[in-house]
Amino acid sequence: MSTLVIVESPTKARTIRNFLPSTYRVEASMGHVRDLPSSAEEIPEAVKGEKWAQLGVNVEADFEPLYVIPKDKKKIVKELKDALKDATELILATDEDREGESISWHLLQILKPKVPIKRMVFHEITREAIRDALTHCRDIDNRVVQAQETRRILDRLVGYTLSPLLWKKIAWGLSAGRVQSVAVRLLVRRERERRAFRQGSYWDLKAVLEKGKISFDAKLVTVGNVKVANGSDFDENTGQIIAGRRVLLLNEDQARALLSRIQNKPWTVSNIEERPVTRKPSPPFTTSTLQQEANRKLRLGARETMRIAQSLYERGFITYMRTDSVHLSEQAITAARSCVQELYGSEYLSPQPRKYTTKSKGAQEAHEAIRPAGSTFRTPQQTGLDGVDFRLYDLIWKRTVASQMADSRQTHVTLQTQVEDAGFRSSGKRIDFPGFLRAYVEGSDDPDAALEDQEVILPALKVGDKPNCKDVEAVGHETQPPARYTEASLVKMLESEGVGRPSTYASIIGTIVDRGYAKLIANALIPTFTAFAVTTLLETHFPDLVDTGFTSRMEQTLDEIATGEAKWLPYLQKFYIGEMGLATQVKEQESQIDAKVARTVVLENIAAKVCIGKYGAYLEAESEEGPVKASIPQDLTPADLDPEKVEFLLKQKTEGPEKLGLHPDTGEPIYVLVGNYGPYVQLGDVSETNKKPKRSSLPKGTDKDSVTVDMAVSLLTLPRLLGTHPDTGAKVQANLGMYGPYVVHDQGKVGKDYRSIKPPDDVLTIEIDRALELLSQPKAVRGSKSATPLKELGAHPESGELLNVYDGRYGPYVKHGDINASLAKDESVENFTLQKALDLLAAKEAAGGGKSSKSKKSSKTAAKSETATEKTAAKKTTAKKTTTAKKTTTAKKTTATKTKKATKSS
């Protein structure tokens, strides 16, 4: 007698095996085993001729989904079926959320077991939790499955109906999504606010006062009992004081005159106010708050946070990481309180256990907050974790333990001082008892240091005292535009608006960046001109689909389907084929959408048009000679495109570049220009005999107006030949590229070996010895935080190249030449050997893996990416159909070929 247990991932299977008797066999489904078709090749022959086949949903037959087993899952399905033959019982142990419930249901449909079936759920992978779950199995919840199936169908209908429209009207390769498009609109709306923002300026005084040996700051707040204007008094749309606001706006002259008037005059304490404040700890983490805090504290993106959290969960370190709940079990509360008692003492323990409840009606997924796993919590130091795994576990541990600690008691002190008719204010903070702040402070990695930073100690003063003025100065200020969204603030906004599910935010933000709707620069999500064009089209013709309220109501309906309060079929019928349904709207609107208008972005105060072209955004303006077009540099954001920059780019196109000077050796003119990839210098003019003049990009951060002739001459010497490599005799050069300065060991057909040049080294002065030193170091992996390998394996027996394991975007991988091969999810880096690396690389090479191949995320994670796969699949389907239907003439063959190429390039 044996029991087959099926989970999603090999890592999870490996962990669970340790907690079950030998009669239990645990296998992994590797995520979903079937799904809607992702390409034309996956559509069964029997339905390929049906007009709904490309959708993968038969909208004319009660929205029946067309489920197929992907090619890469057929082997897994066969293995599961073979394993089931020897089993007397089947336990489906996928995650306790809608996605997990759906995976179990699909397994049931495919395997068609003739043995007893159980559904086992748990939210942590510990011996106690698994053994307990075995005794509390249940049936599959069909209502939850129906809600997930409705969500999947809904996302497919939106993605496959709107994306082709965007290809026709704006640009090939774009995508739309039920939540993705709303998120993009939020970014665009914030960027519009930044464009509309008008800067205001104001002045005030700042003083440093002293009593005894304690110095403290004081800020001007009133003059003649009238409040002095500060940033909050300005209208962002005019840059002027808000109408009706009774404040005194000081300019520089007035501020300096006031400074001169109060100089050397006595200061007097006019009022002191002390206010006790009690702060309570934040609740334990949910999916969204974990993503927000990991972004703020650890600078981790949402996708990276979820990848690490998934790994920690599957290895038994934390509870399930996809949850909307802040609830802690009695077991967890006891464990957290034990930690507080042992590490901080009873005075730091909250008098009563803190019990948190989730406010949102639709909260579901796993039914406990994210916390350390087990009935006792391992401290971060006891886990044996390191790197980002340690840091994220440390964050979760601290937040959970702090949630059961005593309140922080503080005293806020406001001190008013008067000099002549000028009133100043000083603010102090005294921490009377740190409470939970001893363990956890939001936004700080070091609670002890944060406590010191938070305290602002004012000297002991009373009304009538006269502190000394050590210094006073006039300070000018300028109001700042609304801050762009970070991943953390976007996640917070989506959750507060009820848009989407926190478990999908990571993949949605990733899709927005991957599809070119936003750039992630210095932790800020900056929308592109393409995002403006797509958002404008959707706002104009499909306003409901980008309305946060409409999308939130959709989410509520899906929740109601899961609880049986709503019916799925009437909802889909109304949404898609009703009188105001999506299919009806697209059919009606398509003929009304002018593609030229859709590709044009209208920006206030810009006379020229911004258009979306095949190679990116460009300016178009009318002149006496006809229309003038000029590329917009890729690093120029919509909010930063002002009339001056527009004039410069167009003038450069019509009148030619402004001459910087003459080259001292050749006498040729040197120009500074701005191109699609930013500013660069050019030697000589473009002519019939000199179609490609010598050019060189400016180093990153160099302003074009600061370039001198000498600097330009030096840049035009690039690439610099530094010498030859002592081992190969091949040349070694220094140059500037897309990603900055670098040295390269150029061995011709053998290949090129690059290393980045970092300060204090300079591309214009670096010498051969230093270049050889850089080339001898391990090669950095683009996008990784460190070039240091996780493990050194040894030399490749054929090439002699050192093989190492690196930490990549989707987990550990090994690299040889152009081939990157990801380690299996259940493969330990510590136990990974050179022979395993050679086998893995050989398998990847045999499968056609090369430089263009990318590591794939787990099937489950990919499945959660709302429309990212939908758009790609729709393109492939369209391309395949075009190729099949057009094989009769040479001209039509050419069309099909172009379609295929377009699909590949996207």
Side-chain angles (χ1 to χ4, degrees):
M1 179 177 178
S2 65
T3 299
L4 174 63
V5 180
I6 302 179
V7 297
E8 297 97 328
S9 77
T11 302
K12 191 175 175 182
R14 181 179 176 183
T15 308
I16 289 176
R17 282 190 197 109
N18 297 327
F19 307 138
L20 294 175
S22 59
T23 54
Y24 285 75
R25 177 177 177 180
V26 187
E27 297 294 340
S29 70
M30 304 299 290
H32 277 286
V33 288
R34 70 174 188 171
D35 197 4
L36 302 177
S38 62
S39 68
E41 294 175 353
E42 291 185 352
I43 298 175
E45 289 293 336
V47 297
K48 272 194 174 178
E50 302 291 341
K51 61 181 181 181
W52 55 266
Q54 291 182 38
L55 271 178
V57 178
N58 190 347
V59 296
E60 298 172 355
D62 292 343
F63 291 84
E64 181 182 356
L66 174 64
Y67 289 124
V68 298
I69 301 173
K71 185 184 293 185
D72 62 343
K73 290 300 176 71
K74 289 184 177 179
K75 182 181 178 182
I76 294 166
V77 169
K78 183 180 183 305
E79 290 172 352
L80 292 176
K81 286 183 175 180
D82 290 342
L84 186 59
K85 291 176 183 177
D86 301 324
T88 55
E89 183 182 47
L90 172 64
I91 295 180
L92 300 169
T94 52
D95 290 335
E96 189 187 11
D97 62 1
R98 291 176 183 167
E99 194 81 24
E101 206 73 15
S102 177
I103 292 173
S104 282
W105 180 79
H106 279 291
L107 284 167
L108 204 58
Q109 305 306 306
I110 290 175
L111 298 179
K112 296 180 171 45
K114 297 178 181 178
V115 297
I117 307 152
K118 294 179 180 178
R119 172 80 169 102
M120 184 171 80
V121 294
F122 44 85
H123 65 273
E124 63 181 0
I125 305 177
T126 61
R127 183 180 302 277
E128 185 180 353
I130 298 303
R131 292 295 179 92
D132 182 66
L134 274 175
T135 62
H136 294 88
C137 290
R138 60 169 173 80
D139 295 329
I140 288 176
D141 190 330
N142 287 313
R143 291 187 305 187
V144 173
V145 171
Q146 191 66 74
Q148 180 60 28
E149 194 171 25
T150 305
R151 181 187 299 274
R152 185 75 185 96
I153 292 170
L154 200 60
D155 290 339
R156 172 59 67 101
L157 295 177
V158 173
Y160 271 42
T161 305
L162 281 180
S163 297
L165 181 66
L166 297 181
W167 309 340
K168 294 176 187 176
K169 302 300 182 179
I170 298 179
W172 178 263
L174 297 177
S175 68
R178 184 174 60 89
V179 179
Q180 169 195 316
S181 297
V182 176
V184 171
R185 188 196 182 200
L186 289 172
L187 300 183
V188 169
R189 192 162 62 186
R190 180 59 55 86
E191 201 74 359
R192 287 171 179 163
E193 291 171 357
R194 289 176 66 88
R195 282 198 60 81
F197 173 79
R198 295 294 174 265
Q199 194 173 70
S201 61
Y202 60 97
W203 284 73
D204 58 22
L205 303 184
K206 181 181 178 182
V208 179
L209 306 181
E210 182 182 50
K211 180 65 174 179
K213 293 185 178 181
I214 300 177
S215 297
F216 59 100
D217 294 334
K219 181 181 177 182
L220 178 70
V221 290
T222 61
V223 175
N225 293 321
V226 178
K227 179 180 177 291
V228 174
N230 59 35
S232 63
D233 296 310
F234 285 82
D235 186 329
E236 293 184 344
N237 297 314
T238 64
Q240 304 298 314
I241 296 295
I242 297 171
R245 195 70 62 91
R246 185 174 177 270
V247 292
L248 174 64
L249 178 61
L250 296 178
N251 59 30
E252 183 177 4
D253 291 340
Q254 291 169 324
R256 295 195 182 283
L258 177 61
L259 172 62
S260 178
R261 182 158 59 86
I262 66 173
Q263 201 85 43
N264 301 320
K265 297 294 174 65
W267 292 63
T268 305
V269 176
S270 58
N271 188 49
I272 300 175
E273 181 183 344
E274 292 196 358
R275 182 168 53 93
V277 174
T278 299
R279 281 188 58 191
K280 297 182 181 297
S282 298
F285 281 128
T286 61
T287 300
S288 65
T289 54
L290 177 64
Q291 291 174 4
Q292 293 170 48
E293 195 71 341
N295 185 252
R296 281 195 295 261
K297 280 192 174 184
L298 308 181
R299 285 294 184 261
L300 292 176
R303 276 196 293 195
E304 183 73 355
T305 297
M306 293 308 290
R307 182 188 72 78
I308 299 165
Q310 175 104 27
S311 173
L312 291 174
Y313 163 67
E314 291 178 348
R315 288 182 285 162
F317 288 107
I318 64 171
T319 55
Y320 193 52
M321 66 291 157
R322 291 189 178 92
T323 174
D324 296 347
S325 175
V326 293
H327 168 71
L328 285 179
S329 66
E330 292 297 332
Q331 178 194 70
I333 291 173
T334 301
R337 293 178 71 82
S338 295
C339 286
V340 177
Q341 181 78 47
E342 293 171 13
L343 297 173
Y344 303 105
S346 57
E347 70 272 25
Y348 281 92
L349 196 61
S350 63
Q352 300 295 326
R354 295 186 189 273
K355 297 187 177 182
Y356 298 89
T357 56
T358 306
K359 295 179 181 178
S360 60
K361 177 188 174 185
Q364 48 91 34
E365 312 286 359
H367 304 297
E368 193 174 1
I370 303 170
R371 62 167 177 85
S375 56
T376 58
F377 293 167
R378 286 173 283 185
T379 65
Q381 291 73 23
Q382 292 170 336
T383 60
L385 295 168
D386 56 14
V388 289
D389 289 352
F390 175 89
R391 289 158 63 202
L392 193 65
Y393 179 85
D394 182 62
L395 200 64
I396 294 167
W397 184 90
K398 285 177 177 175
R399 177 89 163 213
T400 309
V401 170
S403 73
Q404 294 302 316
M405 294 179 72
D407 295 343
S408 169
R409 298 192 303 274
Q410 306 170 4
T411 299
H412 291 190
V413 182
T414 302
L415 178 69
Q416 305 281 356
T417 48
Q418 195 77 18
V419 52
E420 295 287 294
D421 62 344
F424 285 73
R425 178 187 297 143
S426 304
S427 297
K429 182 190 294 184
R430 183 174 67 245
I431 296 179
D432 303 312
F433 176 68
F436 73 91
L437 296 176
R438 180 58 65 196
Y440 182 85
V441 183
E442 285 193 52
S444 172
D445 291 321
D446 185 350
D448 291 326
L451 290 176
E452 295 174 7
D453 291 342
Q454 284 193 350
E455 279 201 314
V456 180
I457 303 299
L458 297 179
L461 290 165
K462 59 182 183 297
V463 175
D465 283 351
K466 298 184 180 299
N468 296 323
C469 180
K470 291 177 63 178
D471 185 38
V472 61
E473 61 176 336
V475 182
H477 307 272
E478 292 180 335
T479 57
Q480 298 300 311
R484 290 185 172 105
Y485 284 104
T486 63
E487 288 196 42
S489 59
L490 181 60
V491 164
K492 186 175 182 179
M493 174 60 77
L494 289 171
E495 185 180 36
S496 67
E497 294 288 339
V499 175
R501 275 276 162 240
S503 58
T504 67
Y505 293 159
S507 59
I508 285 172
I509 291 174
T511 299
I512 289 171
V513 174
D514 292 345
R515 301 297 178 198
Y517 287 122
K519 294 179 180 179
L520 187 58
I521 301 175
N523 208 37
L525 288 163
I526 305 176
T528 61
F529 290 101
T530 301
F532 269 66
V534 170
T535 296
T536 301
L537 185 150
L538 295 177
E539 285 175 331
T540 304
H541 300 279
F542 308 98
D544 282 350
L545 290 179
V546 287
D547 178 68
T548 52
F550 179 81
T551 309
S552 176
R553 289 191 294 274
M554 291 172 71
E555 210 63 56
Q556 291 174 15
T557 303
L558 291 169
D559 289 338
E560 290 165 0
I561 292 171
T563 58
E565 299 172 64
K567 301 295 183 183
W568 68 278
L569 184 56
Y571 178 70
L572 284 178
Q573 289 172 332
K574 181 180 179 181
F575 173 80
Y576 194 70
I577 57 178
E579 186 177 338
M580 294 299 293
L582 179 61
T584 308
Q585 287 187 58
V586 170
K587 189 175 181 180
E588 291 176 353
Q589 295 287 334
E590 184 171 352
S591 60
Q592 299 177 28
I593 300 174
D594 185 319
K596 188 172 182 180
V597 172
R599 288 194 291 267
T600 303
V601 178
V602 178
L603 299 175
E604 301 82 358
N605 303 322
I606 301 295
K609 297 176 183 176
V610 176
C611 303
I612 308 300
K614 185 177 180 181
Y615 302 106
Y618 64 91
L619 293 168
E620 182 175 316
E622 293 297 327
S623 70
E624 294 179 359
E625 289 76 24
V628 179
K629 298 178 181 180
S631 295
I632 298 176
Q634 292 187 357
D635 61 350
L636 186 58
T637 67
D640 297 328
L641 184 64
D642 55 31
E644 291 74 21
K645 293 185 177 70
V646 169
E647 182 182 4
F648 175 83
L649 292 170
L650 292 173
K651 185 178 178 181
Q652 176 179 285
K653 197 73 175 180
T654 55
E655 301 178 12
E658 187 175 343
K659 187 163 60 177
L660 182 66
L662 300 177
H663 195 284
D665 297 333
T666 67
E668 293 175 280
I670 298 175
Y671 303 104
V672 180
L673 302 97
V674 177
N676 200 29
Y677 297 102
Y680 62 95
V681 292
Q682 174 178 302
L683 179 63
D685 297 295
V686 178
S687 64
E688 283 298 320
T689 56
N690 188 25
K691 294 183 178 180
K692 292 186 178 181
K694 174 74 174 175
R695 292 171 176 169
S696 180
S697 298
L698 298 189
K700 192 172 182 179
T702 303
D703 187 86
K704 62 181 179 60
D705 295 327
S706 67
V707 179
T708 63
V709 172
D710 289 342
M711 182 189 295
V713 170
S714 297
L715 289 170
L716 288 166
T717 63
L718 299 176
R720 293 173 55 225
L721 178 62
L722 305 181
T724 57
H725 198 287
D727 296 338
T728 64
K731 61 185 178 182
V732 176
Q733 295 176 310
N735 202 359
L736 274 172
M738 182 183 298
Y739 301 107
Y742 64 88
V743 291
V744 58
H745 176 203
D746 187 355
Q747 299 183 68
K749 293 182 179 180
V750 175
K752 297 180 180 181
D753 190 19
Y754 297 88
R755 295 294 183 279
S756 294
I757 298 175
K758 303 291 185 185
D761 292 318
D762 189 319
V763 67
L764 299 177
T765 59
I766 193 169
E767 299 295 339
I768 183 66
D769 290 344
R770 177 58 179 156
L772 294 174
E773 185 180 343
L774 292 176
L775 289 165
S776 68
Q777 297 173 1
K779 191 170 185 178
V781 182
R782 186 152 314 280
S784 68
K785 291 184 173 63
S786 171
T788 305
L790 298 176
K791 184 177 182 181
E792 296 180 357
L793 302 174
H796 193 285
E798 295 178 8
S799 68
E801 181 181 338
L802 287 176
L803 297 183
N804 300 318
V805 180
Y806 294 98
D807 186 15
R809 186 177 186 181
Y810 302 120
Y813 72 97
V814 62
K815 175 180 175 62
H816 180 238
D818 289 340
I819 300 175
N820 293 347
S822 295
L823 276 64
K825 292 195 73 176
D826 61 343
E827 182 70 66
S828 165
V829 174
E830 292 76 15
N831 298 329
F832 196 67
T833 63
L834 176 61
Q835 187 56 52
K836 286 183 179 180
L838 296 173
D839 294 342
L840 191 62
L841 290 165
K844 185 68 179 285
E845 188 172 15
K851 193 168 185 177
S852 62
S853 299
K854 291 184 179 179
S855 305
K856 294 184 179 179
K857 293 181 279 186
S858 70
S859 300
K860 180 172 180 181
T861 304
K864 289 180 183 285
S865 181
E866 178 186 50
T867 313
T869 54
E870 306 286 35
K871 191 265 323 182
T872 305
K875 285 192 292 182
K876 290 180 178 177
T877 304
T878 305
K880 182 75 177 179
K881 187 174 181 181
T882 304
T883 307
T884 305
K886 300 183 179 182
K887 288 187 175 180
T888 53
T889 66
T890 305
K892 290 181 179 179
K893 283 181 180 178
T894 304
T895 303
T897 304
K898 287 180 179 178
T899 307
K900 283 185 176 180
K901 288 180 178 178
T903 304
K904 291 178 181 178
S905 65
S906 66

